[in-house]
Amino acid sequence: MFDFLEGYDLLAAFWVTVKLTVFSAIGSLIWGTLLAAMRVSPVPVMRAFGTAYVNIVRNTPLTIVIVFASLGLYQTLGISLLGGTLDDINFQLAVLALAAYTASFVCEALRSGINTVPVGQAEAARALGLNFRQVLTLVVLPQAFRAVVAPLANVLIALTKNTTVAAAIGVAEAATLMKDMIENESDAIFLVFSVFAFGFVVLTLPTGLLLGWLSKRVAVKR
Amino acid sequence: MSNNLSVLYDAPGPRARRRNHLYTVLFVVALALAAWWVLDTMAEKHQLDGDKWKPFVTDGRVWTEYLLPGLGETLKAALLAILIALPLGAALGIARLSDHRWVRVPAGVVVEFFRAIPVLMLMLFANQAYSEFTTVESEVRPLIAVVTGLVLYNASVIAEVVRAGILSLPRGQNDAAQAIGMRKGQIMVSVLLPQAVTVMLPALVSQLVVIVKDTALGGALLGFEELFTQISLIDSFYANTIAALVVVALVYVVVNTALTSFAGWLEGRLRRGRRSGGVVPPKAAGDPADDLVKLTDQAGGRAV
Amino acid sequence: MKFRRTAAAAAAVLSLSLTATACGSGDDDKIKIGIKFDQPGLGLKTPDGKYQGFDVDVAKYVAKELGYDEKDIEWKQAPSAERENMLSRGDVKLIVATYSITPERKEKVSFAGPYLLAHQDLLIRADDNSIKDVKDINSKKLCSVTGSTSAQNVKKDFAPDAELQRYNQYSQCLTGLENKNLDALTTDDSILAGYAAQDKHKGKFKLAGLQLSDENYGIGIKKGDKDLQTKINKALQKMIDEGAWDKAVKDNFGPANYKNEPAPQITEKG
């Protein structure tokens, strides 16, 4: 029944998907937090930059962001990031694009999380003499993060699925392999689809359950 | 928003103001340096040459032959997808709230399944399945495959929005309707659903942004002739990939920003309407976008 | 209820667009021909809504010989993966779209011709003299498109160490080639010549001239339509005899320094 799998390295493709997800998630969490900090900062230029960035990136298709990373950043501007073979560079570019795109959603989630922190908390912190950076990093953000575990989990799940768009620049992840297999094994497309669907259910379901449980555990009781 | 967030820092005194000015200058300089480097490198690689960019301004045919027809296809696919997904999603969402296990559980499985699978894979599969098992003309097949993928995914997302919308209504609505002797179906159709639709309408409009963005996948990997594919057609004639990419990205941003603002406007309007009608207790005034984010989060994974 | 009006408007737009797609019936005095829309030199849609290229010229000539005026031709885009389907379903009558005659394809469709002998080749920068022989390809960065076998074949048969970039369009490869992040774009030399001959690319690229394979371009028709096949073959022969074939080659590939093969013998019979 599974002979249509012969000659295809399914695990390798999904491993690339997992790696794309993990690296992009870390990148988008860092960049998204910085963006959120910019959006609430006392410096108007930074606020404007954060707002403009989020609004532009959120309204651009990920496909364009990824193709732009490859054709614009690498092929035109010559930014090859960490370098290596073409496959390495494409992978890094895909991570960069996914992180840049996902960061805008992380930023929005965090900003709404910051809004859930009661005003009194920040006022009390300021009354103690803490400055902006301290208010944000010691008082507000820790609570905001705990409030946004569930939304961030959704962003993470969306990111996992979005890694398939890297197929547009030839990264050998799951969707690229599925496209090849669908074309070559056209008499088994339902099986092919089921296998890949199962793969993604396995990747996203535990993430949702685990982080859903976590979000309840760490929620700030008010 | 500003009075809500400026709670994070004191009104700047003379030193803080000086420091903020310094940050402003440093940040602007950093941005300007990056921009200068990008533009300089692009100029060096002849990407800023006039003949690459001029067609978009001087040659109206770029718009009438490529960009506008492409945008038309994009919007057609998006509208078809949302209009089909809406009733389907509403049905699934209501089914998930059913009192009967045998309705609730399968609906839940369907919703969770299609939410877990990348929409690109749904499109690829639909495209191949239509090609093998139906006689759809190859010209419209990519459109139908893209719409199918979008419908399957977005119906399951909308199902969650509907469910969240209905659950967000005060319990009294249901109780009162029961008290006057309405049947379950009646309560759903004439009491709960109309109110829920009003609450979730902005969320549905912003879902349209997600759909518009996802159509580009069909362009890149299925050969659906929407806005994104026009890049390669324009490029084949004018040899200006980067310029075409930037212009097409701008078109997407303009269209989606318009949709997002429309959603925000709708949200504000509905909230005012709600307050005067008194159907749902008014919420504390905040950033309309934040409310959108909240509804979005309830729906789960749909915002990206 | 403002939004009810919006919904009505949306429904109106939708029904309009639906009727627009539903129209477009085919009648018999028209001929539908599948070509490429994005292949300079072979089949390219111009901003005027016209079509140009060698395949287009051949298609026009054949259509004329079959009794169709140029304005009776309805051009359809024929993506590589769709060509067999389009013919077997009858979406188009002919396909003239860089369609190599292969035994696998002949199981599903029939061919007339061939009308051009192309070879797989590499497109390289005009100032690049490092690729003279097949063995020079090793250690190079090649570019090709998803779903195309040409790049995989090079990697498998000639250059196991070559790196491979896959995009969705050939034109995307050119950006990297021009900026030296990629070394060669590989596919049929006729396609490559089309890019090299474009005004905007003139002087930037050249063909390596390696002849890695033989590709006989044929005109695809519905399987077993012998009558049509004979007619097309006659038309092609006439095109060659009249010199219209040479003129089409010169018009479309001329500036690329592309050494085209002489007009091929027509072999697809019966």
Side-chain angles (χ1 to χ4, degrees):
Chain A
M1 173 174 174
F2 285 102
D3 23 323
F4 66 97
L5 288 175
E6 229 160 88
Y8 299 101
D9 202 342
L10 211 62
L11 283 179
F14 269 104
W15 180 233
V16 174
T17 297
V18 170
K19 280 195 294 183
L20 276 175
T21 309
V22 171
F23 288 124
S24 317
I26 296 170
S28 64
L29 199 60
I30 296 171
W31 181 221
T33 310
L34 281 175
L35 279 173
M38 280 190 211
R39 288 199 74 174
V40 298
S41 83
V43 185
V45 187
M46 288 187 179
R47 280 206 300 270
F49 174 81
T51 312
Y53 180 94
V54 168
N55 283 337
I56 291 174
V57 171
R58 232 165 40 137
N59 287 321
T60 311
L62 176 60
T63 320
I64 289 209
V65 179
I66 285 195
V67 168
F68 195 79
S70 178
L71 291 182
L73 288 187
Y74 177 50
Q75 306 291 15
T76 303
L77 297 178
I79 298 173
S80 57
L81 303 177
L82 307 175
T85 64
L86 275 179
D87 286 344
D88 297 338
I89 293 174
N90 280 335
F91 177 83
Q92 294 155 17
L93 289 167
V95 168
L96 182 75
L98 283 165
Y101 178 80
T102 313
S104 66
F105 296 93
V106 171
C107 169
E108 284 307 88
L110 267 181
R111 210 168 61 96
S112 69
I114 290 175
N115 280 352
T116 66
V117 179
V119 176
Q121 297 269 342
E123 282 171 348
R126 270 166 55 209
L128 287 174
L130 302 187
N131 63 24
F132 171 70
R133 194 178 51 79
Q134 289 167 320
V135 173
L136 204 60
T137 56
L138 298 178
V139 179
V140 175
L141 273 185
Q143 298 186 61
F145 267 115
R146 290 167 68 173
V148 296
V149 170
L152 284 185
N154 289 329
V155 172
L156 178 62
I157 289 172
L159 169 64
T160 312
K161 296 187 289 176
N162 278 339
T163 56
T164 52
V165 184
I169 58 169
V171 176
E173 46 69 67
T176 310
L177 184 66
M178 174 169 156
K179 194 169 166 12
D180 288 349
M181 282 179 75
I182 278 194
E183 272 157 23
N184 300 338
E185 312 292 318
S186 52
D187 42 344
I189 61 166
F190 283 95
L191 281 174
V192 171
F193 177 70
S194 309
V195 166
F196 282 92
F198 176 74
F200 269 91
V201 171
V202 166
L203 286 182
T204 54
L205 218 54
T207 318
L209 291 177
L210 191 73
L211 289 172
W213 169 81
L214 187 70
S215 81
K216 287 205 185 72
R217 232 189 101 94
V218 301
V220 183
K221 304 281 185 306
R222 294 206 170 95
Chain B
M1 178 183 101
S2 55
N3 54 353
N4 186 18
L5 288 175
S6 65
V7 77
L8 292 173
Y9 44 85
D10 296 308
R15 261 182 65 199
R17 219 172 296 146
R18 238 175 295 138
R19 200 176 52 224
N20 285 353
H21 283 316
L22 180 70
Y23 286 151
T24 307
V25 170
L26 285 179
F27 195 70
V28 168
V29 167
L31 280 185
L33 275 177
W36 177 78
W37 180 79
V38 167
L39 289 176
D40 186 58
T41 317
M42 279 175 75
E44 192 185 306
K45 313 253 166 157
H46 304 289
Q47 286 300 333
L48 294 183
D49 293 3
D51 60 334
K52 291 210 190 317
W53 294 85
K54 239 184 250 153
F56 296 102
V57 187
T58 57
D59 196 345
R61 298 173 307 178
V62 178
W63 292 89
T64 54
E65 279 295 317
Y66 299 114
L67 293 174
L68 294 179
L71 181 62
E73 288 293 302
T74 292
L75 294 180
K76 186 160 87 184
L79 274 180
L80 273 174
I82 192 116
L83 287 179
I84 302 172
L86 210 50
L88 207 62
L92 279 171
I94 294 168
R96 273 198 99 171
L97 291 168
S98 165
D99 293 336
H100 306 289
R101 216 184 134 76
W102 57 271
V103 176
R104 200 170 57 225
V105 172
V109 170
V110 168
V111 168
E112 292 302 332
F113 179 74
F114 284 113
R115 271 174 58 198
I117 297 171
V119 71
L120 172 61
M121 288 191 163
L122 292 174
M123 288 179 188
L124 287 173
F125 173 68
N127 193 34
Q128 189 68 27
Y130 285 136
S131 138
E132 277 182 40
F133 304 113
T134 67
T135 53
V136 185
E137 259 199 54
S138 58
E139 272 196 340
V140 289
R141 203 188 59 228
L143 168 71
I144 299 180
V146 165
V147 170
T148 307
L150 289 173
V151 163
L152 289 176
Y153 172 62
N154 288 288
S156 65
V157 168
I158 288 171
E160 290 301 271
V161 177
V162 169
R163 194 166 72 117
I166 290 175
L167 288 176
S168 76
L169 297 174
R171 259 208 80 74
Q173 295 284 328
N174 189 33
D175 297 344
Q178 268 179 342
I180 60 170
M182 290 175 105
R183 275 176 287 110
K184 271 190 288 186
Q186 273 180 310
I187 296 176
M188 187 55 81
V189 173
S190 40
V191 178
L192 297 182
L193 210 50
Q195 294 184 55
V197 166
T198 322
V199 177
M200 67 198 204
L201 207 64
L204 290 177
V205 174
S206 45
Q207 184 64 20
L208 206 51
V209 175
V210 181
I211 296 181
V212 166
K213 289 193 293 180
D214 280 348
T215 55
L217 284 175
L221 292 141
L222 266 71
F224 171 40
E225 294 223 4
E226 46 64 77
L227 190 50
F228 182 79
T229 37
Q230 307 302 316
I231 296 172
S232 73
L233 291 179
I234 294 173
D235 179 44
S236 310
F237 193 79
Y238 296 98
N240 56 352
T241 319
I242 301 295
L245 201 58
V246 170
V247 171
V248 166
L250 281 178
V251 175
Y252 275 112
V253 169
V254 168
V255 169
N256 286 335
T257 307
L259 282 173
T260 313
S261 333
F262 176 63
W265 174 83
L266 207 60
E267 168 87 17
R269 223 188 129 74
L270 290 173
R271 188 184 295 125
R272 276 202 303 282
R274 241 181 284 155
R275 203 172 292 159
S276 56
V279 176
V280 178
K283 290 180 202 158
D287 187 349
D290 290 337
D291 271 16
L292 265 181
V293 170
K294 263 173 237 154
L295 239 171
T296 302
D297 297 339
Q298 286 162 5
R302 55 168 284 281
V304 183
Chain C
M1 287 276 130
K2 238 327 175 350
F3 53 86
R4 211 165 277 166
R5 232 177 294 153
T6 326
V13 169
L14 179 79
S15 57
L16 269 180
S17 61
L18 276 182
T19 39
T21 29
C23 291
S25 52
D27 41 320
D28 269 356
D29 6 310
K30 297 248 179 202
I31 182 169
K32 290 183 184 167
I33 303 182
I35 52 167
K36 293 283 171 94
F37 279 14
D38 57 355
Q39 214 83 98
L42 287 154
L44 180 70
K45 188 181 176 190
T46 69
D48 311 313
K50 293 203 174 95
Y51 301 90
Q52 62 183 37
F54 183 72
D55 282 346
V56 175
D57 289 347
V58 170
K60 278 183 192 164
Y61 193 97
V62 169
K64 191 185 74 198
E65 292 299 309
L66 292 176
Y68 296 95
D69 211 32
E70 201 180 311
K71 64 177 188 325
D72 295 332
I73 302 176
E74 208 178 302
W75 302 104
K76 299 269 179 182
Q77 184 164 22
S80 298
E82 297 293 335
R83 291 176 296 203
E84 287 85 20
N85 277 338
M86 289 175 80
L87 283 172
S88 58
R89 264 199 309 259
D91 297 348
V92 291
K93 192 150 187 176
L94 315 175
I95 284 189
V96 194
T98 66
Y99 206 3
S100 306
I101 303 172
T102 63
E104 299 87 57
R105 285 174 183 159
K106 271 162 82 172
E107 282 171 19
K108 293 178 186 156
V109 298
S110 290
F111 287 96
Y115 62 92
L116 186 71
L117 173 57
H119 305 286
Q120 191 186 338
D121 198 356
L122 303 180
L123 187 72
I124 51 181
R125 284 181 296 278
D127 57 358
D128 184 351
N129 294 317
S130 64
I131 301 182
K132 294 202 178 65
D133 195 0
V134 177
K135 62 178 189 298
D136 297 329
I137 307 174
N138 239 342
S139 82
K140 293 286 178 187
K141 290 175 179 162
L142 303 179
C143 188
S144 194
V145 297
T146 331
S148 145
T149 49
S150 37
Q152 277 98 317
N153 289 345
V154 173
K155 208 166 148 58
K156 203 170 66 204
D157 300 338
F158 308 110
D161 294 336
E163 290 184 52
L164 187 55
Q165 168 77 52
R166 292 206 294 176
Y167 281 123
N168 288 296
Q169 267 95 27
Y170 290 118
S171 54
Q172 294 179 323
C173 294
L174 294 179
T175 314
L177 184 57
E178 190 182 342
N179 293 320
K180 304 188 181 175
N181 287 315
L182 298 168
D183 297 314
L185 160 58
T186 178
T187 183
D188 301 350
D189 52 5
S190 52
I191 296 175
L192 298 175
Y195 284 112
Q198 264 191 310
D199 275 349
K200 319 258 153 140
H201 290 138
K202 212 172 272 174
K204 285 183 194 163
F205 307 117
K206 66 178 180 191
L207 293 167
L210 293 183
Q211 306 207 342
L212 301 171
S213 72
D214 288 340
E215 309 287 339
N216 279 297
Y217 285 180
I219 295 182
I221 52 177
K222 197 169 199 142
K223 188 165 171 64
D225 193 343
K226 284 193 188 137
D227 188 33
L228 184 60
Q229 187 186 42
T230 320
K231 281 186 194 158
I232 297 174
N233 282 340
K234 212 179 275 170
L236 286 174
Q237 194 58 54
K238 191 172 166 202
M239 188 179 182
I240 295 164
D241 295 343
E242 267 185 359
W245 190 90
D246 282 318
K247 185 179 174 308
V249 168
K250 208 153 274 139
D251 286 351
N252 293 299
F253 304 121
N257 191 25
Y258 163 63
K259 291 171 201 66
N260 67 287
E261 299 276 344
Q265 284 295 311
I266 287 165
T267 51
E268 293 298 310
K269 287 170 187 150

